[in-house]
Short mmCIF file of all heavy atoms in Angstrom, two decimals:
data_model
loop_
_atom_site.label_atom_id
_atom_site.label_comp_id
_atom_site.label_asym_id
_atom_site.label_seq_id
_atom_site.Cartn_x
_atom_site.Cartn_y
_atom_site.Cartn_z
N PRO A 180 56.11 50.97 51.86
CA PRO A 180 57.55 51.18 52.24
C PRO A 180 58.43 50.17 51.59
O PRO A 180 59.66 50.33 51.60
CB PRO A 180 57.44 50.95 53.81
CG PRO A 180 56.30 49.97 54.02
CD PRO A 180 55.35 50.29 52.95
N ASP A 181 57.88 49.05 50.97
CA ASP A 181 58.73 48.06 50.42
C ASP A 181 58.02 47.26 49.28
O ASP A 181 57.40 46.22 49.52
CB ASP A 181 59.19 47.05 51.52
CG ASP A 181 60.34 46.10 51.02
OD1 ASP A 181 60.85 46.26 49.89
OD2 ASP A 181 60.77 45.28 51.85
N VAL A 182 57.97 47.88 48.11
CA VAL A 182 57.23 47.26 47.00
C VAL A 182 57.76 45.87 46.67
O VAL A 182 59.00 45.73 46.52
CB VAL A 182 57.30 48.19 45.75
CG1 VAL A 182 56.64 47.59 44.55
CG2 VAL A 182 56.73 49.56 46.06
N LEU A 183 56.85 44.97 46.53
CA LEU A 183 57.22 43.51 46.20
C LEU A 183 58.21 42.95 47.13
O LEU A 183 58.91 41.99 46.82
CB LEU A 183 57.74 43.40 44.80
CG LEU A 183 56.67 43.59 43.65
CD1 LEU A 183 57.34 43.76 42.33
CD2 LEU A 183 55.71 42.55 43.63
N ASN A 184 58.30 43.54 48.41
CA ASN A 184 59.11 42.97 49.42
C ASN A 184 60.56 42.75 49.03
O ASN A 184 61.20 41.74 49.36
CB ASN A 184 58.50 41.65 49.93
CG ASN A 184 59.10 41.25 51.31
OD1 ASN A 184 59.59 42.01 52.09
ND2 ASN A 184 58.92 39.96 51.55
N TYR A 185 61.14 43.74 48.31
CA TYR A 185 62.56 43.54 47.76
C TYR A 185 63.51 43.48 48.96
O TYR A 185 64.59 42.85 48.78
CB TYR A 185 62.85 44.77 46.94
CG TYR A 185 62.36 44.56 45.54
CD1 TYR A 185 61.56 45.57 44.94
CD2 TYR A 185 62.60 43.46 44.81
CE1 TYR A 185 61.03 45.39 43.65
CE2 TYR A 185 62.15 43.28 43.51
CZ TYR A 185 61.31 44.20 42.91
OH TYR A 185 60.82 44.08 41.67
N SER A 186 63.21 44.01 50.16
CA SER A 186 64.20 43.98 51.24
C SER A 186 64.43 42.53 51.60
O SER A 186 65.61 42.11 51.92
CB SER A 186 63.67 44.69 52.41
OG SER A 186 62.45 44.14 52.89
N GLU A 187 63.49 41.67 51.58
CA GLU A 187 63.63 40.28 51.90
C GLU A 187 64.15 39.46 50.69
O GLU A 187 64.84 38.53 50.76
CB GLU A 187 62.30 39.61 52.48
CG GLU A 187 62.52 38.26 52.86
CD GLU A 187 61.31 37.66 53.62
OE1 GLU A 187 60.60 38.46 54.30
OE2 GLU A 187 61.05 36.47 53.56
N THR A 188 63.61 39.84 49.50
CA THR A 188 63.98 39.09 48.26
C THR A 188 65.46 39.21 48.02
O THR A 188 66.10 38.18 47.74
CB THR A 188 63.20 39.65 47.12
OG1 THR A 188 61.80 39.60 47.24
CG2 THR A 188 63.63 38.99 45.78
N PHE A 189 66.06 40.35 48.14
CA PHE A 189 67.46 40.52 47.91
C PHE A 189 68.32 39.93 49.04
O PHE A 189 69.48 39.59 48.82
CB PHE A 189 67.78 41.95 47.62
CG PHE A 189 67.48 42.46 46.20
CD1 PHE A 189 66.29 43.02 45.92
CD2 PHE A 189 68.41 42.21 45.23
CE1 PHE A 189 65.97 43.38 44.62
CE2 PHE A 189 68.20 42.67 43.96
CZ PHE A 189 66.93 43.28 43.65
N ALA A 190 67.73 39.94 50.17
CA ALA A 190 68.53 39.44 51.32
C ALA A 190 68.65 37.88 51.28
O ALA A 190 69.37 37.25 52.08
CB ALA A 190 67.85 39.85 52.64
N SER A 191 67.77 37.20 50.48
CA SER A 191 67.75 35.75 50.40
C SER A 191 69.04 35.22 49.68
O SER A 191 69.67 35.91 48.99
CB SER A 191 66.48 35.32 49.66
OG SER A 191 66.61 35.64 48.29
N ALA A 192 69.27 33.97 49.99
CA ALA A 192 70.50 33.38 49.36
C ALA A 192 70.38 33.27 47.86
O ALA A 192 71.41 33.29 47.21
CB ALA A 192 70.66 31.89 49.99
N ALA A 193 69.14 33.22 47.31
CA ALA A 193 69.02 33.19 45.87
C ALA A 193 69.59 34.36 45.20
O ALA A 193 70.06 34.31 44.03
CB ALA A 193 67.49 32.97 45.55
N TYR A 194 69.59 35.55 45.87
CA TYR A 194 70.10 36.80 45.27
C TYR A 194 71.43 37.17 45.86
O TYR A 194 71.87 38.26 45.61
CB TYR A 194 69.04 37.89 45.46
CG TYR A 194 67.94 37.89 44.40
CD1 TYR A 194 66.80 37.20 44.65
CD2 TYR A 194 68.13 38.55 43.19
CE1 TYR A 194 65.82 37.18 43.67
CE2 TYR A 194 67.12 38.48 42.29
CZ TYR A 194 65.95 37.86 42.48
OH TYR A 194 64.94 37.82 41.54
N GLY A 195 72.05 36.37 46.62
CA GLY A 195 73.39 36.67 47.09
C GLY A 195 73.47 37.25 48.41
O GLY A 195 74.57 37.55 49.00
N GLY A 196 72.34 37.49 49.08
CA GLY A 196 72.26 37.95 50.39
C GLY A 196 72.61 39.38 50.71
O GLY A 196 73.17 39.73 51.74
N PHE A 197 72.38 40.37 49.78
CA PHE A 197 72.68 41.75 50.02
C PHE A 197 71.34 42.48 50.31
O PHE A 197 70.28 42.11 49.91
CB PHE A 197 73.46 42.38 48.88
CG PHE A 197 72.76 42.48 47.61
CD1 PHE A 197 71.94 43.58 47.35
CD2 PHE A 197 72.86 41.50 46.63
CE1 PHE A 197 71.20 43.71 46.08
CE2 PHE A 197 72.16 41.59 45.46
CZ PHE A 197 71.36 42.67 45.16
N SER A 198 71.58 43.64 50.93
CA SER A 198 70.40 44.40 51.49
C SER A 198 69.90 45.26 50.37
O SER A 198 70.56 45.90 49.58
CB SER A 198 70.80 45.32 52.72
OG SER A 198 69.64 46.06 53.03
N ALA A 199 68.53 45.34 50.21
CA ALA A 199 67.91 46.17 49.19
C ALA A 199 66.48 46.50 49.64
O ALA A 199 65.86 45.74 50.35
CB ALA A 199 67.96 45.53 47.81
N LYS A 200 66.02 47.68 49.24
CA LYS A 200 64.62 48.05 49.56
C LYS A 200 64.15 49.07 48.52
O LYS A 200 64.99 49.95 48.07
CB LYS A 200 64.65 48.69 51.01
CG LYS A 200 63.24 48.88 51.47
CD LYS A 200 63.30 49.32 52.96
CE LYS A 200 61.85 49.41 53.56
NZ LYS A 200 61.97 49.84 55.05
N ALA A 201 62.87 49.06 48.26
CA ALA A 201 62.34 50.03 47.30
C ALA A 201 60.99 50.45 47.79
O ALA A 201 60.01 49.64 47.87
CB ALA A 201 62.20 49.26 45.94
N SER A 202 60.89 51.71 48.06
CA SER A 202 59.58 52.25 48.49
C SER A 202 58.77 52.81 47.30
O SER A 202 59.37 53.06 46.27
CB SER A 202 59.68 53.39 49.51
OG SER A 202 60.45 54.45 48.94
N GLY A 203 57.51 52.88 47.36
CA GLY A 203 56.74 53.34 46.24
C GLY A 203 55.49 54.28 46.64
O GLY A 203 54.83 53.93 47.66
N ILE A 204 55.35 55.27 45.89
CA ILE A 204 54.13 56.16 46.08
C ILE A 204 53.42 56.27 44.73
O ILE A 204 54.04 56.66 43.71
CB ILE A 204 54.47 57.60 46.51
CG1 ILE A 204 55.08 57.54 47.90
CG2 ILE A 204 53.21 58.49 46.53
CD1 ILE A 204 55.56 58.91 48.42
N TYR A 205 52.17 55.84 44.70
CA TYR A 205 51.36 55.96 43.43
C TYR A 205 50.25 56.91 43.65
O TYR A 205 49.47 56.75 44.56
CB TYR A 205 50.87 54.56 43.10
CG TYR A 205 49.92 54.59 41.83
CD1 TYR A 205 50.51 54.76 40.53
CD2 TYR A 205 48.55 54.54 41.94
CE1 TYR A 205 49.76 54.82 39.35
CE2 TYR A 205 47.78 54.64 40.73
CZ TYR A 205 48.38 54.77 39.52
OH TYR A 205 47.55 54.84 38.45
N GLY A 206 50.14 57.92 42.74
CA GLY A 206 49.09 58.85 42.77
C GLY A 206 48.39 58.95 41.39
O GLY A 206 49.02 58.79 40.35
N SER A 207 47.09 59.11 41.40
CA SER A 207 46.35 59.19 40.09
C SER A 207 45.09 60.07 40.26
O SER A 207 44.54 60.36 41.31
CB SER A 207 45.98 57.86 39.64
OG SER A 207 44.95 57.29 40.46
N LEU A 208 44.64 60.54 39.09
CA LEU A 208 43.48 61.31 38.92
C LEU A 208 42.50 60.49 37.96
O LEU A 208 42.95 59.86 37.04
CB LEU A 208 43.67 62.64 38.31
CG LEU A 208 44.58 63.64 39.13
CD1 LEU A 208 44.83 64.86 38.27
CD2 LEU A 208 43.96 63.92 40.43
N THR A 209 41.23 60.48 38.34
CA THR A 209 40.24 59.64 37.60
C THR A 209 39.05 60.52 37.23
O THR A 209 38.75 61.60 37.83
CB THR A 209 39.73 58.46 38.36
OG1 THR A 209 39.06 58.87 39.57
CG2 THR A 209 40.89 57.60 38.79
N ALA A 210 38.32 60.11 36.19
CA ALA A 210 37.11 60.80 35.75
C ALA A 210 36.12 59.73 35.14
O ALA A 210 36.67 58.76 34.48
CB ALA A 210 37.39 61.91 34.85
N ALA A 211 34.84 59.85 35.35
CA ALA A 211 33.88 59.01 34.71
C ALA A 211 32.66 59.78 34.30
O ALA A 211 32.23 60.65 35.14
CB ALA A 211 33.52 57.85 35.70
N TYR A 212 32.17 59.57 33.08
CA TYR A 212 31.00 60.24 32.56
C TYR A 212 29.98 59.27 32.04
O TYR A 212 30.32 58.45 31.15
CB TYR A 212 31.35 61.21 31.49
CG TYR A 212 30.26 61.95 30.87
CD1 TYR A 212 29.64 63.07 31.64
CD2 TYR A 212 29.76 61.64 29.64
CE1 TYR A 212 28.61 63.76 31.06
CE2 TYR A 212 28.67 62.36 29.13
CZ TYR A 212 28.04 63.37 29.87
OH TYR A 212 27.02 64.12 29.28
N THR A 213 28.75 59.33 32.58
CA THR A 213 27.70 58.48 32.05
C THR A 213 26.96 59.15 30.95
O THR A 213 26.26 60.17 31.03
CB THR A 213 26.64 58.21 33.20
OG1 THR A 213 27.21 57.63 34.28
CG2 THR A 213 25.53 57.26 32.73
#
Side-chain angles (χ1 to χ4, degrees):
D181 193 2
V182 176
L183 289 170
N184 197 22
Y185 279 125
S186 60
E187 183 169 331
T188 300
F189 279 93
S191 68
Y194 277 92
F197 63 89
S198 176
K200 190 174 183 178
S202 62
I204 297 176
Y205 176 76
S207 72
L208 300 175
T209 63
Y212 179 75
T213 302

